[in-house]
Amino acid sequence: MADITVFDKSTLPYVADSFVGRWFKLEGSGVAKERSGSRFLTELRAGLTTWAAMAYIISVNASIISDSGGTCVCPTGDGCNSDATYLACIVDVRRDLITATAAISALASTLLGLFANLPLGMAPGLGLNAYFTYSIVGYHGTGIITYREALAAVFMEGWIFFFLSLLGLRQWLARIMPQSLILAVGTASGGLGIIGGDTVNFVGLGGCKPEHYLPNLPGYCDSVVMRNPTMWLGIFTGGFLTVFLMMYRVKGAILIGIFLTSIISWPRGTVVTAFPHTDPGDAAFDFFKKVVTFHPIKLIGNAIDYHYSHGKVWYALVTMLYVDILDTTGTLYSMAKFAGLRDPVTMDFEGSTIAYCVDAFSISIGALMGTSPVTAYIESATGISGACFFKSPSPLPLLQALNIILGIAIAEGGRTGITAITTGFAFLVSVFFSPIFASIPSWATGGALVIVGTLMIRNVREINWNYIGDGVPAFLTIVIIPLTYNIAYGVIAGISSYILLNTVPWLLMKATKGRIVPPNYGDAEPWIIPPGGIVPTWMRVAHGYVTGRPYTPPHEFNNSRHSGSISSTSHELAEISSEKPLAGHSIEITELSK
């Protein structure tokens, strides 16, 4: 029988009674609304857990955005896939992006933890970076605007979000968004090379070696497909092995898969080497051998072209605005709910205004560093869940030992901003290991992207499929995003169809005084404006101070969802973190006394 034990609550009680404990509302600090179950050491472990689950974004984001070409100029305008000088420039851009991604993740996570007191990690968002790269800038700069102009759109987006957050509009827009559409938005890219180009069907099987590319068509294979050893390495080591590790609850599985695949690819002279004996391969290997170094941002720092007279810049700005509202806002709200910090009545969460202001500020600073919009990460759930480890006897001692060696488990119990600050510090340390992260090949991260896409698609089970007026808009959003490789088009289709399919029945019902109503209209997802109004709390407090009538919240929200036995939250824990007991093994949960 396996046994799970919660960490001792009495750990470092003097921290809770200090200024740090009172600022972050640790349990035992004595302040109002202290976070039940929050312990200093547990918060540190939770931060490292969140970083381990998110660290893949350092290499993945650099890989995706470097596909835009960055500030490199292609003189022929055709993508320059065979231009050695241009491709060498992109390598430098990718190294810059390694530093930029780690740096902005460190800054955003630290600010969110310090000022909003939320246990969430932040980094450039998957989906947002794909939209930025492939829909706005285009592959190697073949899109509607340049990389520099796209950064200008991101920079302006951040400041617009900042003022919307101060006014409470951003929070209000998120609260009134139909739940089915929020759950339907999400996308991810792959780097395994399994899918290639096809001159007849546009897409087809890939995975061939470069010598089997069609003339002047990189990525387009002749009849010899699925023969590239790096593709198979990525499929089995970066893909299936990672999934097996996740199945057996080895935490940090995605990071393990990426680094194991990379380690196999680093030796030279093998068929899967990431450093072939070519001029680019030699240069990459020389950089890799530095291991620990600081790579300054040379090509993409402060590269913004403030060319706001270009109409397509505003098109990119507007589309990124509403895509980001759905992405970042939805993630923040879902993670705040999981942490027990969201008010079930007003649907708002503690520190929401500050959190959104930090997010907006980080978006603009990220643009100055050369990267796409920053967002909160769903992987933060790994650090939020209740803290626990297995104890022997164990059905899988080796895997459990690996968990202990890594010092990470999905149930780390982060409740406060200390978790986010720890995550930010880990990202800051990562800045100095840029040669390692820059040498992670695309086939090492491709499997991780597929797995992340699998995790993201889990949201569809929460969509209201019982009523076709909710199901069809969600389905259109899900389908159109990958078919057009454009989140904006999917969101437009979803919102437009939702308005049409729900407004017409409502008008008919009102016009006929309830005589013409869809048979299962009662199954429709209710669309309501949550109570609390559009005015943010800080404005209400300021108004009360000026008028001499102090603001009193309509009700007191108890955020101690996680207090007491962890079994009270086992259902939500299983849903969000997919933590299920291994078949045939019962689990007992015990808690040490305070």
Side-chain angles (χ1 to χ4, degrees), residues 179-180 183-184 459-466 470-471 474 478:
Q179 185 70 8
S180 292
L183 295 172
N459 285 334
V460 301
R461 66 184 178 182
E462 304 296 335
I463 293 174
N464 181 27
W465 299 110
N466 295 325
D470 293 330
I478 293 170

Side-chain angles (χ1 to χ4, degrees), residues 26-184:
L26 292 174
E27 182 173 311
S29 62
V31 300
K33 296 184 179 181
E34 66 180 30
R35 304 285 171 83
S36 178
S38 55
R39 313 285 180 270
F40 182 70
L41 290 183
T42 302
E43 298 293 320
L44 297 181
R45 284 189 291 265
L48 293 177
T49 301
T50 300
W51 173 84
M54 290 177 57
Y56 69 89
I57 192 58
I58 298 176
S59 58
V60 171
N61 185 61
S63 178
I64 291 176
I65 297 185
S66 63
D67 275 353
S68 70
T71 54
C72 303
V73 178
C74 175
T76 58
D78 60 355
C80 293
N81 287 315
S82 57
D83 188 325
T85 302
Y86 182 79
L87 296 178
C89 178
I90 288 182
V91 171
D92 290 334
V93 166
R94 185 170 182 269
R95 292 173 182 173
D96 280 9
L97 285 165
I98 292 286
T99 301
T101 303
I104 192 60
S105 301
L107 176 64
S109 299
T110 301
L111 292 178
L112 187 72
L114 184 61
F115 295 111
N117 198 22
L118 291 175
L120 307 177
M122 300 190 72
L126 277 174
L128 291 171
N129 54 11
Y131 176 71
F132 175 92
T133 298
Y134 303 111
S135 297
I136 300 298
V137 183
Y139 178 74
H140 286 188
T142 56
I144 59 175
I145 59 177
T146 67
Y147 170 79
R148 295 176 182 271
E149 291 172 331
L151 291 179
V154 174
F155 181 79
M156 180 62 72
E157 176 203 356
W159 288 113
I160 291 176
F161 268 158
F162 187 85
F163 290 110
L164 288 178
S165 301
L166 280 179
L167 297 176
L169 289 171
R170 191 177 178 193
Q171 300 89 306
W172 184 77
L173 288 173
R175 290 157 56 201
I176 66 172
M177 185 66 65
Q179 185 70 8
S180 292
L181 293 186
I182 292 177
L183 295 172

